[in-house]
Amino acid sequence: MASYTFLMDVGNATLTESEVASMVKLSVTGSGFSLVGTMLSLCLICFLPVTSDGMFILINLNISLIGAQLALIGAENSFESRLVCRTATAVIHYFFLTLQFCSLSFGLHLLSKLRSVTILERFHRRVVVLAVCWVPAMVVVGLTATLRGDSYGSGSLCWLTPEQGTRWAFVGPTLAIQLVNLSIFGLIMATRFAMDVKRDYKLRRVLKNQLLTAVSLVPVLGLMWTLGLATTFGVAKSVQYMFVAFCSTQGMCIFLGHVMTNGHVRKLLCVKMKPENDNEEEASITNGISNDVTNVSQISEMVELPRGGVSSGEKDKEKERSQSIAETQVTSRNLLNVPEGKCRLRTPRHSLK
């Protein structure tokens, strides 16, 4: 059985056999928790009427994570057959690359929300998301298998061989995506900090918002894979243990840190489970949910307009947009005025008929 360390190892491994065995146990245990977390996230997203672009990307990310971890666990039984081992290598290579590109897609989604850029319609945006998540990984795997031929998946484990730099076909794209996502993460954190300072929040609240934003962003952006550099260059065994622990439990981290920390999702779940069928309230709450669960829609308000100024028509559109957002937020606050820790049972509002 292999651990997460062999994914980022390019031939500089410094672990002993006992440490490798510990990494394997940690990987298997963490993958079990991760699979539970991904299934809970998918069930919750399907149960709630949340159809935003962010949640759509999150669904693809969870699916790729399930496939990657099942392939990693199942590769143990693929050593004897040469053909099956090469197939297992291709499957592991593909799903783990897909996981990275899904994280990249979510990062680009957050960046578009931060910059308030909406170019395509929803259907075309979904097509672009699917293309970014699943197509590039297929191209990389196909090219690697073609160029390396019989040496593809011929190592002691069902994975890329370190000879001729073959493992960089996974490590290279992963590190490039981490660089992009780290830049987006830093931009969002800085903008979040600037917004809190502008609103004259106390230091305690500013630090709390920074912590919650980081906890929400790190799992979906896959930033824990940055710790894999310790394995790539064979340094800091303690960091390698942290890398295996965080990456193997990524699914549970997404569920606890990204999905369940969203106040709108929790309150929508509360309303969804009430006995009355108040569809108008539910629809209003659904429309009030942001496209992500990191308050990026609020952060985007802090982005400065171009220095060249805007025309009067653009100012009117911006004013109408601000009024619409304000009305939506007021409606959502009125409808979501639920005491913390419990649901409020409400009777249908006949006046709305």
Side-chain angles (χ1 to χ4, degrees), residues 147-148 151 161-168:
L147 295 175
R148 289 296 177 258
S151 64
T161 58
E163 289 78 13
Q164 299 179 335
T166 305
R167 290 186 178 177
W168 283 100

Side-chain angles (χ1 to χ4, degrees), residues 11-232:
N12 298 320
T14 58
L15 299 175
T16 63
E17 293 184 1
S18 61
E19 290 172 339
V20 171
S22 299
M23 295 286 191
V24 170
K25 294 179 181 178
L26 186 59
S27 297
V28 174
T29 304
S31 296
F33 284 105
S34 180
L35 290 173
V36 173
T38 52
M39 296 305 298
L40 290 175
S41 296
L42 290 175
C43 291
L44 186 59
I45 294 173
C46 294
F47 177 69
L48 299 178
V50 180
T51 58
S52 64
D53 292 338
M55 289 300 178
F56 180 75
I57 299 174
L58 195 61
I59 291 174
N60 285 272
L61 192 151
N62 278 284
I63 292 175
S64 63
L65 182 57
I66 291 175
Q69 293 187 323
L70 289 179
L72 182 65
I73 295 174
E76 181 180 11
N77 300 321
S78 307
F79 295 153
E80 297 181 359
S81 174
R82 171 74 173 155
L83 177 61
V84 175
C85 191
R86 292 188 64 185
T87 302
T89 301
V91 172
I92 295 174
H93 192 190
Y94 175 72
F95 274 109
F96 274 103
L97 274 181
T98 301
L99 178 63
Q100 305 302 323
F101 281 104
C102 285
S103 298
L104 174 64
S105 179
F106 198 92
L108 296 177
H109 162 72
L110 294 181
L111 186 61
S112 67
K113 295 297 295 180
L114 186 64
R115 296 300 183 183
S116 299
V117 177
T118 304
I119 302 177
L120 304 174
E121 297 180 355
R122 172 178 292 183
F123 173 77
H124 297 95
R125 291 200 303 269
R126 301 290 172 86
V127 173
V128 172
V129 167
L130 291 175
V132 173
C133 289
W134 301 95
V135 175
M138 187 181 304
V139 173
V140 173
V141 172
L143 288 176
T144 306
T146 302
L147 295 175
R148 289 296 177 258
D150 294 337
S151 64
Y152 185 80
S154 61
S156 58
L157 298 173
C158 291
W159 184 235
L160 305 175
T161 58
E163 289 78 13
Q164 299 179 335
T166 305
R167 290 186 178 177
W168 283 100
F170 174 77
V171 176
T174 298
L175 296 182
I177 291 172
Q178 292 304 301
L179 182 61
V180 175
N181 283 351
L182 278 172
S183 302
I184 296 174
F185 175 78
L187 179 61
I188 293 177
M189 294 293 291
T191 310
R192 172 86 253 185
F193 179 80
M195 182 178 68
D196 291 343
V197 171
K198 184 177 181 180
R199 293 180 177 180
D200 294 328
Y201 287 162
K202 295 182 179 180
L203 178 60
R204 182 177 180 181
R205 184 170 182 181
V206 172
L207 295 178
K208 179 182 177 181
N209 288 340
Q210 290 286 299
L211 177 61
L212 292 177
T213 303
V215 169
S216 178
L217 288 177
V218 168
V220 291
L221 294 180
L223 298 182
M224 66 278 291
W225 283 86
T226 307
L227 299 175
L229 287 172
T231 301
T232 303

